[in-house]
Amino acid sequence: MLFFTQCFGAVLDLIHLRFQHYKAKRVFSAAGQLVCVVNPTHSLKYAPTRCAVAQTSAEQGSLPPCHHHEAVHDPQLVPCTCPLFSCPWEGHLEVVVSHLRQTHRINILQGAEIVFLATDMHLPAPTDWIIMHSCLGHQFLLVLRKQEKYEGHPQFFATMMLIGTPTQADNFTYRLELNRNQRRLKWEATPRSVLECVDSVISDGDCLVLNTSLAQLFSDNGSLAIGIAITTSKVHNGEAEM
Amino acid sequence: MLFFTQCFGAVLDLIHLRFQHYKAKRVFSAAGQLVCVVNPTHSLKYAPTRCAVAQTSAEQGSLPPCHHHEAVHDPQLVPCTCPLFSCPWEGHLEVVVSHLRQTHRINILQGAEIVFLATDMHLPAPTDWIIMHSCLGHQFLLVLRKQEKYEGHPQFFATMMLIGTPTQADNFTYRLELNRNQRRLKWEATPRSVLECVDSVISDGDCLVLNTSLAQLFSDNGSLAIGIAITTSKVHNGEAEM
């Protein structure tokens, strides 16, 4: 009996995923875009107290406590870059991707342009939606985080980090695009390296930031579709803009 | 002596404006873009208590108290749409522009693409930067507002309203673009009609919203340059996007 109940649950889940996938495809109708349904994870690493400490020290101009590369003594080794869990793992940069896949079960997607469909946006903060994106010979970590920077006012923060060095990261530009209800919001920036911790990028606010009201305007039935594109940045002169 | 001091002050102001204009031109280097330096106005109409009332009623699903068109009994007359001052003026929609120019001294600019250079972003909330923009045979009102929706955390809200009816507004799309330090943020939407009050658009959060940290990243020496473009929207099917 339990077996049948579980089977029925699994079938319902599949139908639900299929439906969400179809919805995302309808919104992002451009041919060739891969839609990836990303379920939320309630962050076990990230607690409000830790956030407050990181934010306070960032405001004071000192480095937040999560700047991993400050703590690593062997320059060849980097700590685990998973934003979800505190993990004692250390290893070479080249094996971070396989560690994230195998130990933290973070999915990886191929393709220059993908659609990240974050489900259950209503879940309380802190919540993370995470995926890896393989593109142009490199791997990127996309993090969408719901967080209460100001108590009682959750916001959404989205950023893309290169699983590589800051020098390698400077060669790329990433774009996050929201598009719904005759509104469009685009954020373009150079990705940060995972050696700079995602917590500090979010506490600095140097990413796509959405209030709850804007997130609702762009959401469809509790799911937020973010179009992602990565390109190589050809021009490297800091001020040559527009 | 006083005369010479005043003359010297005026010359300094001119040099400062010229310098800001030059800086904006350097950032927005595309040919043909008109740069307009917009000075802030401390809003006399908009007080924190009024904001709290509007926000509370918006959250409760009722219309905010500033929905002018609810209060107008003669359908031919509209109230003053100036976001800065409480003004008893009423008149036909066709003469709103001349009322805003003559009574409230709001400047008007011509051109399909302009750059709005808001100065003195550090000034405390509530502060407004306002200009009118004449384009494609219509006049638009651009409002940038610094406001503390959450006490102690000022945010910037930018929106564009058509000085016309909601039906006329549906024919246009406006784009606001920030571009600096290898970061780009674009907001595209259908303008609202000035018959819907700007306060309600901002309390709904249906506009470009910037945290202080993001505003600082995009600012240059206390001034924020916003590229503005208006186009006619050809497709009118609500869900045909991307």
Side-chain angles (χ1 to χ4, degrees):
Chain A
M1 184 62 196
L2 184 69
F3 174 75
F4 283 111
T5 316
Q6 282 183 339
C7 278
F8 185 66
V11 168
L12 276 184
D13 279 355
L14 273 174
I15 292 170
H16 180 67
L17 279 177
R18 188 72 214 150
F19 179 64
Q20 282 182 324
H21 187 263
Y22 168 76
K23 271 196 306 186
K25 272 211 148 162
R26 191 164 53 84
V27 175
F28 291 86
S29 54
Q33 277 191 322
L34 183 70
V35 176
C36 173
V37 176
V38 186
N39 292 314
T41 314
H42 189 79
S43 176
L44 296 174
K45 178 185 164 192
Y46 196 76
T49 47
R50 189 169 172 277
C51 156
V53 171
Q55 203 181 314
T56 311
S57 57
E59 276 165 5
Q60 285 165 353
S62 63
L63 286 170
C66 53
H67 257 259
H68 295 309
H69 60 298
E70 294 291 319
V72 174
H73 302 297
D74 181 345
Q76 297 292 307
L77 294 180
V78 296
C80 170
T81 57
C82 178
L84 294 172
F85 306 99
S86 285
C87 165
W89 183 88
E90 270 192 351
H92 287 263
L93 198 53
E94 295 75 28
V95 287
V96 166
V97 173
S98 59
H99 169 74
L100 292 176
R101 287 186 77 172
Q102 286 157 19
T103 310
H104 302 296
R105 307 267 167 208
I106 297 177
N107 283 331
I108 191 160
L109 279 171
Q110 303 276 339
E113 294 198 15
I114 61 168
V115 177
F116 177 100
L117 185 73
T119 65
D120 304 306
M121 298 288 287
H122 64 278
L123 287 180
T127 299
D128 281 349
W129 292 258
I130 293 174
I131 207 157
M132 281 189 290
H133 181 191
S134 176
C135 167
L136 302 167
H138 284 79
Q139 278 78 37
F140 299 83
L141 192 68
L142 178 78
V143 181
L144 171 68
R145 176 170 291 172
K146 187 175 186 176
Q147 185 181 314
E148 287 191 14
K149 228 173 159 179
Y150 314 126
E151 216 185 305
H153 305 292
Q155 288 179 297
F156 292 88
F157 302 86
T159 189
M160 204 140 200
M161 323 274 292
L162 176 77
I163 302 175
T165 65
T167 315
Q168 287 173 320
D170 280 345
N171 296 322
F172 298 97
T173 299
Y174 74 96
R175 192 183 72 213
L176 305 179
E177 183 168 344
L178 303 171
N179 197 337
R180 204 173 165 263
N181 278 330
Q182 292 175 298
R183 287 159 186 85
R184 191 180 291 217
L185 187 63
K186 270 190 208 181
W187 165 260
E188 260 180 54
T190 304
R192 300 283 194 93
S193 155
V194 283
L195 299 178
E196 303 174 69
C197 142
V198 71
D199 294 359
S200 68
V201 173
I202 286 171
S203 68
D204 292 350
D206 187 11
C207 53
L208 177 65
V209 186
L210 288 178
N211 283 338
T212 317
S213 50
L214 261 189
Q216 276 172 350
L217 274 170
F218 284 111
S219 294
D220 184 14
N221 216 359
S223 294
L224 184 74
I226 307 177
I228 302 165
I230 297 174
T231 49
T232 47
S233 36
K234 275 140 204 153
V235 189
H236 289 290
N237 46 338
E239 288 299 307
E241 284 154 351
M242 265 201 162
Chain B
M1 184 63 194
L2 184 69
F3 174 75
F4 284 110
T5 316
Q6 282 184 339
C7 279
F8 185 65
V11 167
L12 275 184
D13 279 354
L14 272 174
I15 292 170
H16 180 67
L17 277 177
R18 188 71 213 147
F19 180 65
Q20 282 181 326
H21 187 265
Y22 168 76
K23 272 196 307 186
K25 272 211 149 161
R26 190 166 54 84
V27 175
F28 292 85
S29 54
Q33 277 191 321
L34 183 71
V35 176
C36 173
V37 176
V38 186
N39 292 314
T41 314
H42 189 81
S43 177
L44 296 174
K45 177 185 165 193
Y46 195 77
T49 46
R50 190 167 172 278
C51 156
V53 171
Q55 202 182 316
T56 311
S57 58
E59 277 164 7
Q60 287 166 350
S62 64
L63 285 172
C66 53
H67 258 259
H68 295 309
H69 60 295
E70 295 290 319
V72 174
H73 303 298
D74 181 345
Q76 297 291 306
L77 294 180
V78 296
C80 169
T81 58
C82 176
L84 295 171
F85 307 99
S86 285
C87 166
W89 183 89
E90 270 191 352
H92 287 262
L93 198 52
E94 295 74 28
V95 288
V96 166
V97 172
S98 60
H99 168 74
L100 291 177
R101 287 187 77 170
Q102 285 158 18
T103 311
H104 301 296
R105 307 268 167 208
I106 298 177
N107 282 331
I108 191 160
L109 279 171
Q110 303 276 339
E113 295 199 14
I114 61 168
V115 176
F116 177 100
L117 185 73
T119 65
D120 305 307
M121 298 288 286
H122 63 278
L123 288 181
T127 298
D128 281 350
W129 292 257
I130 293 175
I131 207 158
M132 281 189 291
H133 180 190
S134 176
C135 168
L136 301 169
H138 284 80
Q139 278 78 38
F140 299 83
L141 191 69
L142 179 77
V143 181
L144 171 68
R145 175 169 292 173
K146 187 176 186 177
Q147 185 181 314
E148 288 190 12
K149 227 173 159 178
Y150 314 127
E151 216 185 308
H153 305 292
Q155 289 179 296
F156 293 89
F157 302 86
T159 189
M160 204 140 201
M161 322 273 295
L162 175 77
I163 302 176
T165 64
T167 316
Q168 287 173 320
D170 281 344
N171 296 322
F172 298 98
T173 299
Y174 74 97
R175 192 184 71 214
L176 305 179
E177 183 168 344
L178 304 171
N179 197 337
R180 204 175 165 260
N181 279 328
Q182 292 175 298
R183 287 159 186 86
R184 191 180 291 218
L185 186 63
K186 269 190 209 181
W187 165 261
E188 258 179 57
T190 303
R192 300 283 194 94
S193 156
V194 284
L195 300 179
E196 304 174 71
C197 142
V198 71
D199 294 359
S200 68
V201 173
I202 286 171
S203 68
D204 291 350
D206 188 9
C207 54
L208 178 64
V209 186
L210 288 178
N211 283 338
T212 317
S213 51
L214 261 188
Q216 276 172 351
L217 274 169
F218 284 111
S219 293
D220 185 14
N221 216 0
S223 294
L224 184 74
I226 307 178
I228 302 165
I230 297 174
T231 49
T232 47
S233 37
K234 275 140 203 151
V235 189
H236 288 289
N237 46 338
E239 287 300 306
E241 284 154 353
M242 265 202 161

